[in-house]
Amino acid sequence: MYYIGIDVGGMSIKAGVADINGNVLHKTTIVTRGNYDAEYTISNDIHKLIVKLLDEANIPEEKIAAVGIGQAGSIDSERGIINYWNNIPMKNVHVVEELKKWHKMPVFIDNDANVAALGECVFGAAKGLRNVMLVTLGTGVGSGIIIDGKIYRGEYGAGAEAGHMRIVMNGEPCTCGGRGCWEAYASVSALIRQTKAAMEKHPESMMCSIAAEMGEVNGITSFKAARAGDKAALEVVARYIEYVGTGLVSLQNIFRPQIFLIGGGISKEGEFLTDRLEKFVQNGMFDKETGDPVKIRPAALHNDAGILGAAALAIESVK
Amino acid sequence: MYYIGIDVGGMSIKAGVADINGNVLHKTTIVTRGNYDAEYTISNDIHKLIVKLLDEANIPEEKIAAVGIGQAGSIDSERGIINYWNNIPMKNVHVVEELKKWHKMPVFIDNDANVAALGECVFGAAKGLRNVMLVTLGTGVGSGIIIDGKIYRGEYGAGAEAGHMRIVMNGEPCTCGGRGCWEAYASVSALIRQTKAAMEKHPESMMCSIAAEMGEVNGITSFKAARAGDKAALEVVARYIEYVGTGLVSLQNIFRPQIFLIGGGISKEGEFLTDRLEKFVQNGMFDKETGDPVKIRPAALHNDAGILGAAALAIESVK
């Protein structure tokens, strides 16, 4: 039997068919540009994508044990509903119910950070571990919490929003309307702001020439210059480590997971990033003497993370 | 069948025998003053207390289904070990193994905040709920996390230390060696510091006369004056609500539990405290539209909280 993993993004939907070991046999994409003019259209698009995928892969629907969907926004996975999605305005969309009209196999939906964390447990950097926390650093800060091998969601699936922990009381404004959220300091968007501010102060910094070469300031700018020993960039990275690390200290003290994984584009900085974070958290955490030292690693599933995470949701849900 | 609940404190150990509905049939105490000169002595004291309790209650040991122990410090409940206890220096004490030498019934041990949270779920203010968070405000800030009806402990039982979330990056020093921990702002010890500072600034405040009358500044001082409308005291309470509330916002966004319970002596302030906290968290939390509004209530098990929590641990562990 096979499993379908579907990764719903703002501009396109990706789908892949995988076996139980996480081998992706075939994948395909449709561009949607988020054109959801009516409630049912997203379900309709997912349906058409499933048909296209199986057709291209030449696999009959009877060979599919389950479908998993990873989707940004607030997802009520128990009821199979998208509560709401801030990127593309939609509320209370009954995706699973709609898809049941067209397909017989069971369908499961969950938040994209949650399925990414599960995917790492089933196929990736946390294979075989039961208590795992994935933190994705990107436009925002997402978190996926795996407790005893299962996704932790909170009531109505509205939990696991560690990006909105407060790390600086009454600090920087956050997109959520609050102040001092972790996301306002530790997201890549925040890092870009921090990089730009340092570049203004230090026009001699290598960050400026790197940005000119790349045509933009992005999440890599400061890390690239820091690796080359640029002083101002090393300061930007050190402060960013402190921002990310402060939130991780809190999560370590609350959860004591077996491992933290760092996802998002910045995870490509690898151990240059995670070794520094590990040192910061080990130094700051509560009760250093009990158990193992803190473990922080880059997430392992890069390009196929969305599809494999959603496939893992399908696999674990029908186990 | 009956259950024994044991509450180990720094100066004494309390024990009670309860039925499955949380009726305490008999309770007793021994004073220890924490005189544990050798590893086994705490187990020996607990053993003697069990014998004393059953003797006084006139209940044969065969009628006891299980024993639960609630104990401060870092507890590895899976292995039945006190990892360490900062109040009375001890490390790796195998309590459960020692007690098995004297008793046949199963014995379970867990952190005191964890069993208090479980006790509230089984007998108290969160009866019948499955996702519950208890925050105890006292000398420190403790937390007990119940997920799907079970205590969440983290690896080696070293988790659930929400008091050591960072709410002010590089803020006030904490007893744990870190800076800016929630405990450094939201504990009753911190409230007393905040009250004293306000009294110095406002010698006209009612807090000064209340403290003189009571012979000390304690956790009640500011609340008592605030209830009477004293301006400086209202400011102290408002700021304290902000400190406690900021940590609760983070926990709400991470966990989205069904209910938060506030324990510790200050919970006697009742809804004067929890209504204000509820308003603060509702206003500051992420994704206000999904699910139910935040619910914050005082813990319900006061004097017998330790015994009933430990009894609940015994009941749930043999279920």
Side-chain angles (χ1 to χ4, degrees):
Chain A
M1 294 298 276
Y2 300 107
Y3 302 85
I4 291 177
I6 293 173
D7 179 15
V8 182
M11 299 296 280
S12 66
I13 309 180
K14 294 176 203 162
V17 57
D19 65 17
I20 197 141
N21 298 314
N23 301 306
V24 178
L25 308 181
H26 183 74
K27 50 186 177 173
T28 192
T29 302
I30 51 166
V31 174
T32 65
R33 300 193 198 287
N35 287 330
Y36 300 121
D37 54 349
E39 260 217 20
Y40 70 91
T41 48
I42 187 167
S43 319
N44 196 8
D45 274 350
I46 292 172
H47 153 62
K48 284 189 289 185
L49 184 59
I50 292 173
V51 172
K52 183 170 179 256
L53 175 75
L54 293 179
D55 187 47
E56 288 175 12
N58 200 18
I59 293 174
E61 196 165 313
E62 296 74 47
K63 288 260 182 188
I64 303 299
V67 178
I69 303 171
Q71 150 95 41
S74 171
I75 312 295
D76 187 335
S77 64
E78 211 175 295
R79 296 168 189 80
I81 299 170
I82 305 172
N83 288 327
Y84 90 101
W85 189 11
N86 48 341
N87 289 36
I88 295 162
M90 54 172 73
K91 266 186 119 173
N92 297 321
V93 179
H94 291 69
V95 177
V96 170
E97 210 177 290
E98 286 290 324
L99 285 170
K100 272 189 185 158
K101 294 180 187 166
W102 292 299
H103 302 281
K104 278 186 187 152
M105 63 259 194
V107 178
F108 305 94
I109 186 168
D110 212 316
N111 175 273
D112 54 355
N114 290 352
V115 305
L118 191 66
E120 293 289 338
C121 285
V122 176
F123 304 122
K127 212 166 166 173
L129 299 182
R130 311 280 302 162
N131 293 311
V132 173
M133 186 162 289
L134 172 76
V135 173
T136 55
L137 305 174
T139 313
V141 173
S143 62
I145 304 169
I146 306 295
I147 292 177
D148 202 19
K150 286 183 299 216
I151 293 171
Y152 180 77
R153 304 176 171 100
E155 292 299 300
Y156 298 90
E161 291 289 353
H164 301 281
M165 286 191 294
R166 304 290 170 87
I167 68 159
V168 179
M169 201 170 144
N170 297 322
E172 296 277 334
C174 178
T175 52
C176 76
R179 295 190 81 96
C181 292
W182 193 25
E183 174 164 309
Y185 297 86
S187 63
V188 172
S189 326
L191 172 61
I192 292 172
R193 275 202 314 277
Q194 293 152 19
T195 304
K196 283 180 180 170
M199 283 164 62
E200 256 181 55
K201 256 190 170 173
H202 301 281
E204 80 290 356
S205 160
M206 204 183 286
M207 291 186 284
C208 299
S209 49
I210 290 172
E213 214 173 282
M214 299 184 85
E216 62 167 7
V217 179
N218 57 33
I220 300 167
T221 315
S222 60
F223 274 90
K224 204 171 173 186
R227 280 177 197 266
D230 181 77
K231 200 171 155 258
L234 280 164
E235 275 170 26
V236 171
V237 168
R239 208 175 329 120
Y240 183 67
I241 295 295
E242 219 186 312
Y243 290 136
V244 179
T246 296
L248 289 175
V249 166
S250 296
L251 294 176
Q252 167 74 349
N253 295 341
I254 295 170
F255 285 103
R256 277 277 178 150
Q258 291 167 299
I259 196 168
F260 283 99
L261 299 176
I262 305 296
I266 206 163
S267 66
K268 288 182 189 143
E269 298 297 333
E271 287 164 11
F272 187 82
L273 172 71
T274 55
D275 283 358
R276 282 166 166 76
L277 287 172
E278 213 172 73
K279 204 173 152 194
F280 184 92
V281 176
Q282 183 62 39
N283 192 40
M285 72 192 239
F286 184 73
D287 186 6
K288 300 169 181 68
E289 291 187 39
T290 299
D292 307 313
V294 65
K295 209 169 177 177
I296 304 178
R297 298 284 182 277
L301 308 174
H302 293 290
N303 294 333
D304 287 340
I307 287 172
L308 281 176
L313 175 70
I315 291 170
E316 293 298 305
S317 300
V318 293
K319 238 185 195 171
Chain B
M1 296 296 278
Y2 300 107
Y3 302 85
I4 291 177
I6 294 174
D7 178 14
V8 181
M11 300 294 281
S12 66
I13 309 179
K14 294 175 203 164
V17 57
D19 64 17
I20 197 140
N21 298 313
N23 300 305
V24 178
L25 308 180
H26 183 73
K27 50 186 175 174
T28 191
T29 302
I30 51 166
V31 174
T32 64
R33 299 191 199 286
N35 287 330
Y36 299 122
D37 53 350
E39 260 216 20
Y40 69 91
T41 48
I42 187 165
S43 318
N44 196 9
D45 272 351
I46 292 172
H47 154 62
K48 284 189 289 184
L49 183 60
I50 292 173
V51 173
K52 182 172 179 254
L53 175 76
L54 293 179
D55 187 48
E56 287 174 14
N58 200 19
I59 293 174
E61 197 164 312
E62 296 75 48
K63 289 260 181 187
I64 303 299
V67 178
I69 304 172
Q71 150 95 42
S74 170
I75 312 295
D76 186 335
S77 65
E78 211 175 294
R79 297 168 189 80
I81 299 171
I82 306 173
N83 287 327
Y84 89 102
W85 189 11
N86 50 338
N87 289 36
I88 294 161
M90 52 173 74
K91 266 186 118 173
N92 295 322
V93 179
H94 292 69
V95 177
V96 169
E97 209 178 290
E98 285 289 324
L99 285 170
K100 273 188 184 159
K101 294 180 186 166
W102 292 299
H103 302 281
K104 279 187 186 150
M105 63 260 195
V107 179
F108 304 94
I109 186 168
D110 213 316
N111 174 274
D112 53 356
N114 289 353
V115 305
L118 191 66
E120 294 289 338
C121 284
V122 176
F123 304 123
K127 213 169 167 170
L129 298 183
R130 311 278 304 162
N131 293 312
V132 173
M133 186 163 287
L134 171 75
V135 173
T136 55
L137 306 173
T139 313
V141 172
S143 63
I145 303 169
I146 306 295
I147 292 178
D148 201 19
K150 287 184 296 216
I151 293 171
Y152 180 77
R153 302 175 172 104
E155 292 300 300
Y156 299 90
E161 291 290 352
H164 300 280
M165 283 193 296
R166 304 292 170 84
I167 68 160
V168 180
M169 201 170 142
N170 298 320
E172 296 275 334
C174 177
T175 52
C176 76
R179 297 190 79 96
C181 292
W182 193 24
E183 175 164 309
Y185 297 85
S187 64
V188 172
S189 325
L191 173 61
I192 291 171
R193 275 202 314 277
Q194 292 152 18
T195 305
K196 283 179 179 169
M199 285 165 61
E200 256 180 54
K201 255 190 170 174
H202 301 281
E204 79 291 354
S205 159
M206 204 183 284
M207 292 186 283
C208 300
S209 50
I210 289 170
E213 214 174 280
M214 298 183 87
E216 62 168 8
V217 180
N218 57 33
I220 301 166
T221 314
S222 60
F223 275 89
K224 204 169 174 187
R227 279 177 197 268
D230 181 77
K231 200 169 155 262
L234 280 165
E235 275 169 26
V236 171
V237 168
R239 207 173 333 117
Y240 183 67
I241 295 294
E242 219 186 310
Y243 290 138
V244 179
T246 296
L248 289 175
V249 166
S250 296
L251 294 176
Q252 167 74 351
N253 294 343
I254 295 171
F255 285 103
R256 278 277 179 147
Q258 291 169 299
I259 196 168
F260 283 98
L261 299 176
I262 305 296
I266 206 163
S267 66
K268 288 181 188 142
E269 298 297 333
E271 286 162 12
F272 187 81
L273 172 70
T274 55
D275 283 358
R276 283 167 166 76
L277 286 174
E278 212 170 73
K279 205 173 150 194
F280 184 91
V281 176
Q282 182 63 40
N283 192 40
M285 73 194 236
F286 184 74
D287 186 6
K288 302 170 179 68
E289 290 187 38
T290 299
D292 307 313
V294 64
K295 209 168 177 179
I296 304 178
R297 298 284 183 277
L301 308 174
H302 292 291
N303 295 333
D304 287 339
I307 287 171
L308 281 176
L313 175 69
I315 291 169
E316 292 299 305
S317 300
V318 294
K319 239 187 196 170

